[in-house]
Amino acid sequence: KFVFMQHKGEIIEKAIRQSGYSITKLSKKLGKSARWMYYMFESSNVSIDYILEIGEILHHDFSNDIKELKKVGSKNWFFLI
């Protein structure tokens, strides 16, 4: 059985660019370098913790973009295995 794996880095990059939020500013809020952000964009498997933290900073609901995320309540999330 073929399982399609979403490229989470590309999804995150698209959300950041559409938001107009500065990559440099976001990287500083995350305590990371801008270079780290670009490496993350190239990664298909980004930590759920970073996805949620970036979503919170951007006010972006990644549960609409990443099928492993399901929104529960207004601020609670869980990761589907």
Side-chain angles (χ1 to χ4, degrees):
K1 180 179 170 183
F2 178 76
V3 177
F4 174 72
M5 185 171 161
Q6 291 181 293
H7 195 291
K8 293 175 184 70
E10 290 177 355
I11 293 168
I12 293 166
E13 180 180 16
K14 181 179 176 185
I16 293 168
R17 294 195 185 281
Q18 287 179 340
S19 76
Y21 204 95
S22 161
I23 291 172
T24 302
K25 186 176 177 181
L26 181 60
S27 67
K28 287 180 182 178
K29 281 196 172 230
L30 293 170
K32 301 291 184 182
S33 68
R35 186 70 224 144
W36 180 89
M37 296 291 294
Y38 290 103
Y39 283 129
M40 181 190 59
F41 296 158
E42 295 172 9
S43 176
S44 62
N45 190 21
V46 178
S47 162
I48 192 71
D49 294 327
Y50 287 124
I51 295 169
L52 295 177
E53 189 172 358
I54 291 167
E56 188 173 315
I57 293 167
L58 299 179
H59 305 289
H60 182 85
D61 182 357
F62 281 106
S63 69
N64 295 322
D65 309 314
I66 299 175
K67 61 186 174 185
E68 291 95 342
L69 283 179
K70 182 172 180 179
K71 191 170 184 178
V72 178
S74 63
K75 289 197 175 193
N76 298 318
W77 300 81
F78 67 90
F79 188 70
L80 297 178
I81 298 172

